């Protein structure tokens, strides 16, 4: 049990947050992480409104602990998502991929805690000015949608820490207790972890995707589509098509044409490893086993404490 600004803000035991991930973090994963003392997040970006409603109500049955919903602000039906979140009295919302000015006040007026995900100090200050309660600063190592600036977690966290006064959650490149401790030394109050939680029985991602992560090697992911919406992907046939097009100078329109519709669903939910989009972070090469989410939370936390004690021996 650790008492700091984030555990107190969310009323959780351990400063470990499971990232909201499209097609991957439904109510099963979110409730398992919350029950283990962390904060689980339902990734609503891939859910039609009725599916989101189902996942929130199932989550409330599966856990009495706090949980959150991630809302990417570019979601097409966002008004409906916000309406459901307010109606279901979701306690915490993580917004991402958009301007935090639009929804923060509306959610906060309903008593909801609002956290916004950013990739730079400037965006972090904007989120603080918009009234957010905390910030997730996500470095270049992270999977899925990513900042254009390519600032790594090691460089990003201390700068965001200096730029804001609200609590800070570090993300990108964190999958074990050593990495968690490093992020906290850099100034984070908590960590947000995505990729590690894909390889759990509770994640709704396809087993082909989980297995692909387990057998991935260092260097197997890369940032793609910087001309449109930058996204870190595992290298596969689809990635290579995009890469070839980028190398020959294809326009944003051409890239969007190759992307088509529903690539993320194909890759991560339906397990089409060649033709789908596989959004995962650089740490995928460090993930070797599928384990229950609760075991991962406990292991990372225990390892973080042990490493903190071990490191003092050097000084
Ligand atoms: P479901 O709610 O369909 O549940 C799967 C299993 O869990 C069912 O066998 C059900 O048993 C059982 N179950 C349902 N509710 C509870 C509960 N409250 N407590 C305990 N057990 C329960 O979940 P899924 O994650 O499989 O998916 C539901 C829908 O959401 C699907 O349409 C799927 O496509 C979509 N989905 C979308 C995601 C996204 O990111 N967009 C992510 C995950 C899923 P029984 O039928 O016997 O009640
Ligand atoms: P596409 O436009 O290619 O496809 C939309 C996908 O989202 C489809 O697979 C569709 O499911 C599903 N979907 C869920 N709700 C709706 C809705 N109301 N209208 C249309 N489609 C819906 O988008 P992507 O797959 O690339 O991304 C999907 C969404 O995920 C984005 O809109 C964004 O919100 C979010 N996203 C956010 C990220 C982040 O914040 N970090 C990262 C990645 C994605 P179906 O195929 O069953 O119709």
């Amino acid at each position: 049990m650790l008492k700091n600004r984030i555990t107190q803000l969310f009323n959780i035991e351990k400063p470990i947050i499971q990232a909201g991930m499209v097609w991957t973090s439904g109510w099963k994963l979110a409730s398992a992480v919350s029950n283990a003392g962390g904060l689980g997040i339902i990734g609503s970006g891939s859910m039609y409104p009725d599916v989101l409603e189902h996942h929130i109500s199932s989550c409330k049955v599966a856990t009495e602990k706090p949980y959150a919903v991630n809302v990417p602000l570019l979601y097409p039906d966002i008004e409906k998502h916000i309406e459901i979140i307010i109606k279901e009295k979701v306690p915490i919302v993580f917004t991402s991929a958009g301007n935090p000015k639009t929804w923060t006040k509306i959610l906060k007026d309903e008593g909801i805690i609002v956290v916004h995900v950013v990739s730079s100090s400037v965006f972090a200050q904007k989120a603080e000015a918009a009234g957010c309660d905390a910030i997730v600063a996500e470095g270049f190592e992270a999977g899925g949608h990513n900042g254009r600036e390519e600032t790594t977690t090691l460089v990003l966290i201390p700068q965001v820490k200096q730029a804001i006064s609200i609590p800070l959650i570090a993300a990108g490149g964190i999958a074990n207790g050593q990495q968690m401790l490093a992020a906290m030394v850099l100034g984070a109050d908590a960590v947000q972890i995505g990729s590690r939680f894909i390889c759990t029985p509770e994640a709704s991602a396809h087993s082909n995707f989980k297995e692909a992560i387990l057998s991935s090697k260092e260097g197997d992911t890369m940032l793609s589509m910087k001309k449109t919406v930058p996204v870190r992907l595992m290298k596969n046939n689809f990635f290579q098509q995009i890469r070839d097009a980028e190398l020959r100078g294809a326009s944003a329109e051409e890239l969007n044409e190759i992307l088509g519709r529903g690539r993320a669903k194909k890759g991560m939910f339906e397990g089409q490893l060649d033709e789908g989009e596989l959004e995962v972070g650089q740490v995928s090469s460090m993930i070797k086993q599928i384990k229950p989410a609760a075991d991962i939370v406990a292991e990372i936390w225990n390892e973080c404490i042990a490493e903190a004690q071990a490191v003092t021996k050097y000084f």
Side-chain angles (χ1 to χ4, degrees), residues 21-28 42-48 51-52 54-55 57-62 202-205 265 269:
M21 296 174 283
V22 290
W23 299 114
T24 299
S25 61
W27 67 269
K28 286 176 199 162
I42 296 171
S44 77
S46 52
M47 297 179 179
Y48 284 90
V51 175
L52 175 61
H54 165 75
H55 279 264
S57 51
S58 302
C59 193
K60 289 199 284 199
V61 173
E202 296 93 342
S204 55
K265 181 182 188 180
F269 201 61

Side-chain angles (χ1 to χ4, degrees), residues 113-185:
I113 296 167
V114 181
V115 183
H116 190 64
V117 184
V118 302
S119 57
S120 72
S121 303
V122 173
F123 286 154
Q125 283 171 326
K126 283 189 180 169
E128 181 169 26
C132 294
D133 296 289
I135 297 290
V136 177
E138 194 175 79
F140 183 55
E141 300 92 325
H145 287 214
N146 207 306
R148 289 177 186 281
E149 308 84 358
E150 307 198 353
T151 312
T152 59
T153 303
L154 200 65
V155 174
L156 180 67
I157 302 306
Q159 294 188 89
V160 175
K161 173 77 180 171
Q162 286 229 317
I164 58 165
S165 58
I166 52 177
L168 171 60
I169 301 161
I174 304 166
N176 65 29
Q178 290 167 322
Q179 290 162 325
M180 176 174 178
L181 179 66
M184 300 203 49
V185 171

Side-chain angles (χ1 to χ4, degrees), residues 201-237:
E202 296 93 342
S204 55
H206 196 281
S207 57
N208 291 351
F209 180 37
K210 296 179 188 178
E211 293 296 332
I213 293 172
L214 298 184
S215 56
S216 71
K217 300 182 298 298
E218 202 184 307
D220 277 356
T221 73
M222 203 168 160
L223 193 76
S224 188
M225 284 181 283
K226 230 180 159 179
K227 268 192 189 162
T228 57
V229 186
V231 60
R232 179 176 295 283
L233 298 175
M234 189 180 279
K235 294 172 181 169
N236 65 357
N237 187 41

